[in-house]
Amino acid sequence: MSHPGARGIEETAGRGGGRARRGRTALLTGDGDSLAFDLPSRGELVIGRDPGADIVFAHESLSRRHARLLLEPGSVQLCDLESKNGTRIGARRLVPGRAEALRPGAAAELGAVLLLVVEPQRGPSRPRTRETDADHDLVITPALEGLDDVLKRASVTDLPILLLGETGVGKDVFAERVHALSPRASRRLVRVHAAAIAEPLFESELFGHEQGAFTGATAAKAGLLEAADGGTVFIDEVGELPASIQVKLLRVLDDRRIQRVGAITPRKVDVRFVAATNRDLATEVARGVFRQDLYQRLRGVSLRVPPLRERRDDVRILACAFLRRVADDKRFSEAALRALSRQPFWGNVRELRNLVERTALLVRTEQIGQADLVFDAATAVPGSSPDPAPAQASQRQQIVVALEKARGNQTVAAGLLGMSRRALVYKLTEYGIPRPRKTVRKTT
């Protein structure tokens, strides 16, 4: 979905001019798409799908002229313009034509689109106190600049952020970025991988338990949410949460209290929630698998990270960046970069990074050519290599090098090559490479 832009804002706030201090910001998000824009100090702005609106957001739930923002220094009001799907502040539906105050940090719903007005940060900018993993893994390409702009503005709030996207697009890295840019950056970022926790252990891991709460609970233990007090909780694969935990998590989001297993009194927690999923949660809600009220609470700001095949120009930028990090003395040939750009990369950024790191490790020359790139045969685009013979010769050489580095250990070599041990054994037979023999120790 494309947004023609916020025409009225450009005229009133003077975008493209000098570096004026940024004032209030408005964020619109819906179904993973998003738009961020700077607000003038005073004026009236119409929001809707109509290309003539001041703020254009092409979401199907919006009317052509859905609502009007009324701006004065120190105040923001919102007025519904007889929209089809209505405008709400909290649980209250606005009466068409009657303006109501929108408090700083409060969210309004325009149909299924969330509107948030963010006040400017007070005081000097917070210095970076530590380097994060995100600093190493995140490359903001031109295709991601719009998403990153919304993310930066949303990070300074305490609203939950829901990151949507396929496996491997880097949702975890963006979650780290949210935490690093937030006022909570000096506190802990606690990761919860919902798919990796066995259901019987979920409640204890998330909320903690008291001594004697169950067999084996020999001591009291704080849960992950309690451990994150003052910081951020990142729930990865949130769509995998069991139904029983969804209910309890909703309560935490509502009243900021957790109750350990076996405890009588709840404890207060101050955490910011960031969640990620590769599932279509709206569909999961319709199927009755995921709670609608929890979905609504988690998607305070929802951002979709696009797959790599939707941003082909990024492949070249990312491949060169990843290569510099692991082998700054090597470079890709132009033919190799073109071949990379043609690949679908169903595993997204993760697959590209693994391919670059593996190739840098196994290719001994300074320049990495097209024939040095060995793609997954199941997903590779035909014609990735100009001639299958050079590609096969290159893969054979990479296997030989990997076996040398692994000192004949086929399991380790397979890991270096990014394939299973069974696939490696098949390749050894295919290329006529003698299988390393196990060393038999003689006993006396």
Side-chain angles (χ1 to χ4, degrees):
M1 175 169 65
S2 61
H3 306 292
R7 177 180 51 80
I9 291 171
E10 292 179 356
E11 295 168 1
T12 311
R15 277 188 179 179
R19 289 182 174 272
R21 186 184 176 195
R22 179 175 285 170
R24 289 175 296 195
T25 298
L27 304 176
L28 282 170
T29 66
D31 296 332
D33 210 340
S34 55
L35 178 67
F37 47 88
D38 299 330
L39 294 174
S41 59
R42 55 167 44 88
E44 297 185 6
L45 301 172
V46 173
I47 303 171
R49 290 188 293 109
D50 192 325
D54 299 301
I55 302 166
V56 182
F57 194 70
H59 192 278
E60 61 183 7
S61 70
L62 286 185
S63 296
R64 293 179 64 80
R65 294 171 62 84
H66 194 106
R68 177 181 286 114
L69 276 174
L70 298 94
L71 306 164
E72 291 291 340
S75 75
V76 178
Q77 290 184 303
L78 185 63
C79 178
D80 183 77
L81 300 178
E82 298 185 345
S83 64
K84 179 180 178 181
N85 294 316
T87 303
R88 293 175 175 80
I89 298 178
R92 186 175 71 261
R93 181 163 181 156
L94 303 191
V95 176
R98 183 186 300 173
E100 295 203 26
L102 184 62
R103 300 189 315 277
E109 290 182 66
L110 284 60
V113 172
L114 191 84
L115 168 67
L116 174 70
V117 175
V118 181
E119 294 292 325
Q121 286 185 286
R122 304 297 180 188
S125 299
R126 177 184 53 80
R128 295 293 294 274
T129 57
R130 63 188 180 88
E131 194 176 54
T132 67
D133 292 340
D135 296 321
H136 297 290
D137 292 340
L138 186 61
V139 178
I140 301 300
T141 61
L144 294 178
E145 285 177 355
L147 181 149
D148 190 58
D149 186 38
V150 176
L151 182 140
K152 285 188 288 190
R153 301 185 196 214
S155 294
V156 301
T157 75
D158 257 351
L159 271 181
I161 292 181
L162 180 61
L163 298 168
L164 309 170
E166 297 177 4
T167 299
V169 293
K171 300 184 294 294
D172 56 334
V173 179
F174 278 102
E176 290 183 16
R177 184 161 173 79
V178 169
H179 177 70
L181 294 172
S182 77
R184 298 174 178 267
S186 61
R187 305 300 292 271
R188 291 186 66 185
L189 168 64
V190 175
R191 296 168 177 79
V192 179
H193 198 300
I197 302 176
E199 186 168 347
L201 302 176
F202 232 116
E203 186 173 4
S204 173
E205 288 293 315
L206 214 53
F207 305 106
H209 62 257
E210 297 291 354
Q211 182 178 2
F214 50 82
T215 303
T218 56
K221 177 189 172 185
L224 294 171
L225 297 185
E226 197 174 336
D229 191 38
T232 305
V233 173
F234 171 46
I235 306 178
D236 198 7
E237 300 305 341
V238 70
E240 306 295 331
L241 285 177
S244 60
I245 300 301
Q246 291 181 33
V247 177
K248 292 180 171 62
L249 184 60
L250 179 64
R251 291 175 187 161
V252 178
L253 282 158
D254 284 339
D255 61 19
R256 302 291 163 172
R257 293 174 183 269
I258 59 103
Q259 191 158 348
R260 292 181 177 182
V261 177
I264 298 174
T265 307
R267 299 166 179 257
K268 285 187 176 181
V269 290
D270 173 25
V271 295
R272 197 263 184 85
F273 285 92
V274 179
T277 182
N278 59 9
R279 292 192 178 193
D280 183 344
L281 285 189
T283 300
E284 299 292 281
V285 167
R287 292 176 53 219
V289 176
F290 201 84
R291 292 183 64 95
Q292 182 172 13
D293 45 10
L294 179 58
Y295 173 52
Q296 296 295 339
R297 292 290 283 113
L298 287 174
R299 69 181 192 103
V301 175
S302 61
L303 298 171
R304 176 180 175 267
V305 185
L308 201 49
R309 62 185 175 277
E310 290 182 11
R311 42 193 179 103
R312 297 282 187 186
D313 292 344
D314 285 6
V315 174
R316 176 185 293 257
I317 299 171
L318 291 168
C320 292
F322 294 149
L323 184 60
R324 282 194 301 271
R325 290 172 183 173
V326 296
D328 60 4
D329 59 330
K330 295 184 180 180
R331 61 186 178 84
F332 287 109
S333 70
E334 186 60 32
L337 289 171
R338 286 196 299 267
L340 285 168
S341 298
R342 290 197 298 268
Q343 295 304 307
F345 286 113
W346 298 104
N348 291 295
V349 177
R350 183 181 301 153
E351 180 185 348
L352 173 61
R353 185 177 61 235
N354 290 343
L355 172 64
V356 170
E357 291 176 354
R358 183 170 69 247
T359 304
L361 176 67
L362 298 174
V363 173
R364 293 174 172 175
T365 56
E366 208 172 275
Q367 177 169 284
I368 297 174
Q370 182 176 354
D372 295 319
L373 302 172
V374 180
F375 300 104
D376 184 342
T379 60
V381 172
S384 297
S385 297
D387 179 359
Q392 290 175 358
S394 176
Q395 186 175 53
R396 187 184 193 284
Q397 178 61 24
Q398 289 186 14
I399 291 172
V400 170
V401 172
L403 286 169
E404 289 176 2
K405 289 180 178 290
R407 296 183 179 180
N409 187 312
Q410 295 172 54
T411 302
V412 174
L416 291 173
L417 292 162
M419 63 177 67
S420 67
R421 186 178 183 280
R422 179 177 296 181
L424 174 60
V425 171
Y426 173 81
K427 291 292 183 183
L428 293 177
T429 303
E430 180 183 358
Y431 294 136
I433 302 171
R435 291 184 62 180
R437 295 181 178 180
K438 293 182 180 179
T439 302
V440 180
R441 292 183 179 179
K442 294 182 179 180
T443 57
T444 56

